[in-house]
Amino acid sequence: MRAEDFDFLCRVVRERSGLQLTRDKAYLLESRLLPVARRLGAKSLEEFIDSVRRQGDPERLRIITEAMTTNETLFFRDTKPFEQFKRVVLPALLQGRAAQRTIRIWCAASSSGQEPYSLAMTIKEEGARLAGWRFEVLATDLSQEMVDRARAGTYSQFEVQRGLPIQLLMKYFRQVDERWQLDDAIRSMVQYRVFNLLDDPRPLGTFDIVFCRNVLIYFDQPTKAQVLERIAKLMPRDGILYLGGAETVLGITDRFEPMPNERGIYRPAQKVASALGAAS
Ligand SMILES: C[S@@+](CC[C@H](N)C(=O)[O-])C[C@H]1O[C@@H](n2cnc3c(N)ncnc32)[C@H](O)[C@@H]1O
């Protein structure tokens, strides 16, 4: 790939998503964009990139950006976050929200839906203990294609074999031809929309729990800090933030602090939250 094409594409993807592409990702750019270029009628990648540069067509810029996202995900990814959810997070919130009986959860980079649906199944499995409680789960992703796939709630054999316990597969999915369709009872527990983490999230409302897992790793430090600070403003003092196994707030922002004795989950920094007046 020509150096100037690589630089142009890096700039496009970075400005529109925050994703950082390093030079060693040139092969990835080529392998992902060549099929896109062909689908859109170009004879070569060079021809496609030249036309995008000349015309600056926003739809093509969106398609290029989405093609460069990494959508790797699986049901109950890393297991522990969902165990912590039942053991630590839910009991604390059930106590703290006894008056409102409503808990709002945001999955901020939900990819093809396995993460929010894992949460929805976990909530459903709690059964009678949560009777009378209302859970609102909002799942968002930059990629329209991922949001559409998540909303449909159908998964391949390979996907349901990754992380999903067989009892939950049998209970909440039914086989339709080669694929597995998630029950409406679980599907309807999650609302989806396209949302870019570079944008202001305040219109989404406030959240008791935010899952922002395995997306910050693709951003540079200032972008990580900005995203985390904006999330902090949407959370009450006793809110909980989940990050991915390779992610942390340490050295990035002082708006969150690790939950004592619990890896991977964070709460609004108590001093900062009281000084700034956390969301309520
Ligand atoms: C590796 S997946 C993580 C999915 C899930 N959270 C998990 O941990 O399994 C990262 C997701 O982040 C999304 N993403 C990348 N940049 C984004 C942005 N600026 N705003 C919102 N989502 C973004 C991608 O489309 C992709 O679906």
Side-chain angles (χ1 to χ4, degrees):
M1 175 179 291
R2 298 175 301 200
E4 73 262 29
D5 287 350
F6 180 79
D7 292 342
F8 167 72
L9 292 170
C10 284
R11 213 173 45 248
V12 165
V13 171
R14 187 174 172 175
E15 282 171 8
R16 299 177 67 92
S17 70
L19 302 175
Q20 299 247 85
L21 299 172
T22 42
R23 283 226 165 259
D24 58 326
K25 294 285 175 346
Y27 76 95
L28 196 68
L29 261 175
E30 284 202 55
S31 63
R32 292 205 185 159
L33 290 187
L34 195 56
V36 172
R38 294 233 168 89
R39 200 175 70 231
L40 294 173
K43 290 195 191 71
S44 68
L45 195 52
E46 284 73 23
E47 182 191 303
F48 175 64
I49 297 170
D50 284 344
S51 80
V52 174
R53 285 175 108 146
R54 269 197 320 275
Q55 296 161 8
D57 175 359
E59 180 57 11
R60 291 190 167 204
L61 294 173
R62 183 189 68 77
I63 292 171
I64 290 173
T65 307
E66 286 199 17
M68 293 315 299
T69 58
T70 300
N71 309 116
E72 162 67 7
T73 189
L74 61 152
F75 287 103
F76 296 93
R77 186 172 190 167
D78 302 331
T79 318
K80 187 143 190 227
F82 300 91
E83 180 269 313
Q84 285 168 321
F85 181 79
K86 282 194 287 195
R87 179 175 51 80
V88 185
V89 176
L90 257 188
L93 283 175
L94 293 184
Q95 213 174 18
R97 301 287 178 283
Q100 303 90 326
R101 297 199 146 227
T102 297
I103 293 176
R104 295 199 79 222
I105 304 174
W106 178 23
C107 282
S110 50
S111 189
S112 39
Q114 285 89 331
E115 182 177 83
Y117 289 140
S118 299
L119 268 172
M121 285 184 271
T122 305
I123 294 166
K124 195 75 165 175
E125 287 291 293
E126 289 292 301
R129 185 179 168 208
L130 300 182
W133 282 80
R134 184 181 157 79
F135 281 81
E136 293 175 10
V137 184
L138 175 69
T140 63
D141 200 279
L142 170 83
S143 160
Q144 178 71 60
E145 185 190 338
M146 286 302 125
V147 167
D148 290 344
R149 283 194 50 195
R151 228 182 237 134
T154 68
Y155 295 95
S156 66
Q157 182 70 36
F158 175 69
E159 287 168 322
V160 297
Q161 276 170 344
R162 295 182 76 205
L164 184 64
I166 184 84
Q167 316 86 277
L168 296 183
L169 175 65
M170 291 299 136
K171 190 163 173 185
Y172 295 122
F173 291 77
R174 81 194 139 83
Q175 199 161 14
V176 180
D177 303 325
E178 301 287 288
R179 296 181 67 81
W180 291 86
Q181 174 70 57
L182 180 61
D183 247 25
D184 281 350
I186 300 294
R187 223 151 50 102
S188 62
M189 290 171 71
V190 183
Q191 301 301 309
Y192 284 99
R193 63 186 269 190
V194 171
F195 179 76
N196 187 339
L197 282 166
L198 300 189
D199 293 339
D200 180 358
R202 281 176 299 185
L204 303 178
T206 59
F207 296 94
D208 304 297
I209 305 170
V210 176
F211 277 66
C212 186
R213 303 186 66 223
N214 303 302
V215 62
L216 293 182
I217 31 168
Y218 301 107
F219 298 161
D220 62 16
Q221 293 284 102
T223 310
K224 287 181 198 188
Q226 188 194 48
V227 170
L228 288 172
E229 292 191 8
R230 285 173 162 176
I231 291 175
K233 290 190 181 143
L234 308 181
M235 298 178 75
R237 273 177 71 94
D238 61 351
I240 293 289
L241 169 71
Y242 279 82
L243 297 182
E247 296 162 332
T248 180
V249 300
L250 300 175
I252 297 169
T253 175
D254 60 4
R255 297 295 302 265
F256 287 99
E257 59 192 24
M259 280 280 282
N261 309 320
E262 297 293 340
R263 267 182 74 101
I265 58 178
Y266 302 83
R267 60 184 185 189
Q270 301 299 295
K271 274 193 202 143
V272 180
S274 42
L276 296 176
S280 52

